[in-house]
Amino acid sequence: MCGMPQQPPIRSTPTRPSRPDASMSLLTNVMDHSLDDGYAEAAARKKAAGDGGLPKTLRARLGLALGLVLAALVVTVGAAQARVAAPVVAKEREELIDRIDRETKTADSLEESVDQLRDDVTTRQREALKHTGDSGQADLVGILSGAVEVHGPGVKLVVNDAKEASTGGDGNPRETSGFSDTGRVRDRDMQRVVNGLWESGAEAISINGRRLTALSAIRAAGDAILVDNKPLVPPYTVLAVGDGQRLSTRFQDSADGLYLHALQENYGIRTAISTEDDLRLPAAPSVIVRTAEPRTEKGTS
């Protein structure tokens, strides 16, 4: 009887122990030998030769000590000089402030002297006009020259910027004179107003309390209007002494009056004119005669 063939016994192969990972081996090597061998050897040779650390010889130690002493000396001297110079600087500053105060007081005193002398010259000029020729002619000369105060009937004209003066407009020819918008009253506008009043029969004119003379100038500086180099602030109040009703009618019908009306219609500039029974105009601050000469009896027929 044939039996089943027998299978050879299964032999188990022993398992090999696991090897450590290569990366772990590299990290372990780096931790154990953090310094390169070459650097380690160089450090060992230097240590053996006695070159590391602080100087070993007496001469080297003395040199180091001397350097530290010199550095400390420089720092000490600098601090001492700064401490000594501080009071000097403070004293010079105080002297400079005192000098500025003295010069300011001197300038104020000189300015007061100039004002007093100007008033004295103006008074003498007015007195001279009163004693020149007959009294009627002297009064007329004083009125026309602006050397004396005047009062009488006349016209009050108020000219003011437009309410929307700050908005302005682009490309408008009124902006070419340096004014920021079209609703601002310009120096040329006031020139035409004053000239129109003169032509309409005004005998004396003032703007915002400043008396105009034959030598008065109306100019602009930026957005400000100047009368005899004195800035004016709107509204501009123009007082003109003369035949009130006739002066008002002639001015409004003149070319300059129509020009002012056009400014009101086109640009919103505000104007108001009225006749007054009694206007008072001050004298001009100073009457300067550059070319005129007094008339002598020899030159008269």
Side-chain angles (χ1 to χ4, degrees):
M1 188 171 179
C2 296
M4 294 294 292
Q6 296 182 357
Q7 295 181 354
I10 299 175
R11 297 179 180 180
S12 60
T13 58
T15 58
R16 296 181 180 179
S18 59
R19 297 175 59 186
D21 188 73
S23 60
M24 293 297 295
S25 176
L26 179 60
L27 290 174
T28 303
N29 186 28
V30 170
M31 293 179 63
D32 294 340
H33 305 282
S34 58
L35 187 62
D36 188 82
D37 295 338
Y39 287 107
E41 293 177 1
R45 289 195 302 268
K46 188 174 182 181
K47 185 176 181 180
D51 295 336
L54 293 174
K56 303 299 183 179
T57 63
L58 179 60
R59 183 176 182 181
R61 292 181 179 179
L62 291 176
L64 178 61
L66 181 60
L68 294 175
V69 171
L70 290 177
L73 182 61
V74 170
V75 173
T76 304
V77 172
Q81 288 180 350
R83 187 174 302 175
V84 171
V88 176
V89 173
K91 184 178 180 180
E92 291 179 352
R93 182 174 179 274
E94 292 178 358
E95 292 178 353
L96 181 60
I97 293 175
D98 294 339
R99 182 180 177 184
I100 292 174
D101 293 338
R102 290 195 304 269
E103 296 299 333
T104 301
K105 292 180 180 179
T106 302
D108 294 339
S109 177
L110 292 175
E111 187 174 357
E112 293 178 359
S113 299
V114 169
D115 293 337
Q116 293 175 358
L117 292 174
R118 183 182 291 113
D119 294 339
D120 183 61
V121 170
T122 302
T123 302
R124 292 176 182 272
Q125 288 176 341
R126 293 170 184 168
E127 292 296 330
L129 288 173
K130 292 180 180 180
H131 295 87
T132 301
D134 55 38
S135 59
Q137 185 180 5
D139 293 339
L140 179 60
V141 171
I143 292 174
L144 297 179
S145 64
V148 297
E149 299 179 1
V150 296
H151 70 92
V155 169
K156 178 181 179 181
L157 175 62
V158 180
V159 183
N160 199 0
D161 296 336
K163 293 183 179 179
E164 300 80 9
S166 59
T167 58
D170 296 333
N172 195 293
R174 284 180 58 84
E175 295 183 358
T176 57
S177 294
F179 284 71
S180 59
D181 51 72
T182 59
R184 297 293 301 274
V185 179
R186 301 179 303 172
D187 57 330
R188 188 170 63 185
D189 302 333
M190 297 307 300
Q191 289 175 3
R192 294 202 60 168
V193 167
V194 170
N195 290 334
L197 288 171
W198 285 125
E199 293 178 0
S200 299
E203 300 174 4
I205 299 177
S206 68
I207 302 178
N208 285 12
R210 296 199 61 83
R211 180 76 173 275
L212 301 182
T213 67
L215 300 177
S216 296
I218 301 176
R219 295 289 183 266
D223 287 351
I225 295 179
L226 308 180
V227 173
D228 293 335
N229 295 325
K230 300 295 182 181
L232 302 181
V233 178
Y236 307 104
T237 302
V238 182
L239 302 180
V241 174
D243 187 346
Q245 188 60 47
R246 181 182 179 186
L247 179 60
S248 175
T249 301
R250 293 183 62 179
F251 172 74
Q252 295 183 69
D253 293 339
S254 66
D256 297 314
L258 295 176
Y259 171 82
L260 186 61
H261 181 72
L263 293 181
Q264 183 178 6
E265 293 293 328
N266 298 328
Y267 303 106
I269 290 178
R270 293 167 287 176
T271 62
I273 187 170
S274 61
T275 58
E276 303 291 337
D277 294 333
D278 187 21
L279 296 175
R280 293 187 175 274
L281 277 63
S286 61
V287 179
I288 302 175
V289 179
R290 296 187 177 92
T291 57
E293 296 180 359
R295 185 181 63 178
T296 61
E297 295 297 332
K298 182 179 180 179
T300 59
S301 57

